[in-house]
């Protein structure tokens, strides 16, 4: 496993592999690696000749009052994690390497970036799209892997890749959960044991909604989910939305496949989760 910290060195290594006919897989992360990331790495190891994991806490996707400075950065542990999973390259650039003072270009995916989480984190997806666009250009990735927990992010990246004619294929991977049902996230480390227990109720509410999907209209389904979430102590709900699985557009009674997505706060920790519902 090689650790690379500069754009030029990664491009040089990746281009050499590309010239040799190797397929390159990219797993973009912000570190604090866990089983969810492991599922993406293993998928790349299965599909690709070369696997690159990027570890970069991207300041562009954090708002002024968010957790950029305290976001977990267990570097040694992350490198051991990558080595154990036979990653070929770990790309760990500095902020100045990725976004020097001269940087003036940003990527926006209109409409998709303004709904759901975008309502509450206005510059977030601009930061995500910009850094992912850079990582795709730097890595020459043939396949790029994203988990479905950040479903809005996944759809935004898919749209960006399509609109800007990137050659990479976006590979979506299922949500990995703890035994309790809680979606695994780097931010789960912020939760107290009591908050973790309360957070596990979110998935149970989503599962019940998916069972009721064929029999209830969408507004009733959404209201029921809202009511149940509001019964969780200390919870603050950002949104409960039911949208078209294909493109996050408005879902109605004729939509065959939808996503029920939620974003909530438990104490000082923001959690997101979703479930696919099909008629």
């Amino acid at each position: 496993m090689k650790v690379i910290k500069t754009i030029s060195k990664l491009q040089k290594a990746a281009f050499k592999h590309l010239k040799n006919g190797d397929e390159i897989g990219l797993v973009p992360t912000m570190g604090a690696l866990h089983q969810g990331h492991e599922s993406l790495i293993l998928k790349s190891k299965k599909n690709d000749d070369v696997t690159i994991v990027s570890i970069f806490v991207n300041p562009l996707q954090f708002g002024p009052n968010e957790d950029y400075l305290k976001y977990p950065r267990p570097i040694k542990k992350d490198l051991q994690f990558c080595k154990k999973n036979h990653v070929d390259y770990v790309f760990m650039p500095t902020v100045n390497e990725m976004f020097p003072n001269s940087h003036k270009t940003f990527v926006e995916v209109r409409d998709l970036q303004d709904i759901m989480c975008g309502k509450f984190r206005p510059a977030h997806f601009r930061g995500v799209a910009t850094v992912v666009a850079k990582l795709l250009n730097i890595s020459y990735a043939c396949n790029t892997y994203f988990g479905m927990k950040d479903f809005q992010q996944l759809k935004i990246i898919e749209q960006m890749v399509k609109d800007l004619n990137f050659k990479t294929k976006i590979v979506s991977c299922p949500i990995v959960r703890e035994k309790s049902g809680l979606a695994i996230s780097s931010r789960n480390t912020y939760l107290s044991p009591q908050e973790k227990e309360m957070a596990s109720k979110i998935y149970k509410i989503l599962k019940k909604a998916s069972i009721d999907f064929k029999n209830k209209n969408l507004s009733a389904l959404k209201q029921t989910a809202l009511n149940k979430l509001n019964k969780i102590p200390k919870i603050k709900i950002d949104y409960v939305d039911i949208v078209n699985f294909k493109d996050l557009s408005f879902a109605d009674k004729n939509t065959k496949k939808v996503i029920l997505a939620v974003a909530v706060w438990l104490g000082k920790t923001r959690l997101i989760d979703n479930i696919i519902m099909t008629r």
Side-chain angles (χ1 to χ4, degrees):
M1 184 181 84
K2 291 183 180 177
V3 179
I4 295 180
K5 297 188 176 181
T6 66
I7 290 169
S8 60
K9 283 185 180 177
L10 185 64
Q11 283 185 315
K12 187 177 178 181
F15 189 64
K16 190 174 178 181
H17 283 290
L18 212 60
K19 271 175 61 177
N20 290 338
D22 293 333
E23 280 221 340
I24 298 171
L26 172 67
V27 180
T29 84
M30 291 206 300
L33 303 178
H34 50 63
Q35 288 169 284
H37 297 118
E38 187 173 41
S39 72
L40 309 183
I41 293 168
L42 293 177
K43 191 101 172 185
S44 175
K45 293 297 295 180
K46 183 180 177 183
N47 291 349
D48 307 305
D49 301 301
V50 177
T51 296
I52 300 170
V53 171
S54 65
I55 297 176
F56 178 65
V57 184
N58 174 26
L60 297 190
Q61 64 192 71
F62 288 81
N65 298 311
E66 294 184 345
D67 58 342
Y68 174 68
L69 292 177
K70 70 170 187 173
Y71 194 86
R73 293 167 171 86
I75 302 301
K76 286 184 181 177
K77 192 176 174 185
D78 284 347
L79 289 175
Q80 288 169 355
F81 185 97
C82 289
K83 195 168 186 180
K84 183 190 82 173
N85 284 289
H86 309 290
V87 169
D88 298 291
Y89 296 95
V90 178
F91 181 47
M92 294 178 57
T94 63
V95 172
N96 191 57
E97 179 72 10
M98 289 295 280
F99 298 111
N101 291 335
S102 58
H103 182 92
K104 296 188 185 333
T105 304
F106 300 90
V107 180
E108 294 194 353
V109 182
R110 295 291 175 87
D111 299 333
L112 294 185
Q113 70 179 13
D114 301 324
I115 58 175
M116 298 164 71
C117 284
K119 286 182 188 174
F120 300 89
R121 307 182 72 189
H124 173 68
F125 289 117
R126 184 178 86 151
V128 170
T130 301
V131 78
V132 172
K134 286 179 72 77
L135 289 169
L136 295 180
N137 281 328
I138 294 164
S139 66
Y140 301 116
C142 306
N143 298 299
T144 307
Y145 298 83
F146 287 91
M148 292 182 72
K149 181 177 75 71
D150 298 310
F151 192 77
Q152 184 177 9
Q153 171 182 275
L154 171 66
K155 289 296 168 183
I156 284 171
I157 297 304
E158 285 178 346
Q159 187 70 43
M160 179 191 77
V161 164
K162 178 185 171 188
D163 290 348
L164 299 183
N165 306 108
F166 282 99
K167 289 184 178 179
T168 194
K169 177 185 176 186
I170 301 300
V171 182
S172 61
C173 300
I175 297 171
V176 178
R177 299 183 180 278
E178 297 184 10
K179 284 184 181 178
S180 66
L182 175 63
I184 292 178
S185 166
S186 302
R187 287 188 170 96
N188 288 357
T189 57
Y190 299 160
L191 297 168
S192 68
Q194 185 185 20
E195 286 171 337
K196 250 192 164 184
E197 189 180 336
M198 290 187 288
S200 68
K201 295 178 182 178
I202 297 167
Y203 183 54
K204 293 180 177 71
I205 292 166
L206 295 179
K207 273 180 77 175
K208 181 63 171 68
S210 71
I211 293 167
D212 295 339
F213 179 55
K214 291 179 182 177
N215 303 320
K216 276 190 177 180
N217 68 56
L218 296 186
S219 59
L221 201 71
K222 179 176 173 177
Q223 191 57 52
T224 301
L226 266 167
N227 293 343
K228 287 181 178 179
L229 285 168
N230 271 319
K231 288 179 182 176
I232 299 173
K234 293 186 183 177
I235 203 164
K236 180 192 162 201
I237 299 170
D238 271 358
Y239 67 81
V240 175
D241 279 343
I242 301 175
V243 295
N244 193 313
F245 176 89
K246 186 180 177 184
D247 57 9
L248 304 184
S249 61
F250 176 77
D252 60 25
K253 62 182 180 180
N254 298 315
T255 312
K256 301 295 182 189
K257 192 173 184 180
V258 304
I259 282 277
L260 170 57
V262 303
V264 304
W265 289 85
L266 267 177
K268 295 181 178 180
T269 308
R270 191 175 191 269
L271 302 171
I272 60 172
D273 204 348
N274 66 73
I275 197 165
I276 302 167
M277 303 191 297
T278 309
R279 294 188 195 277

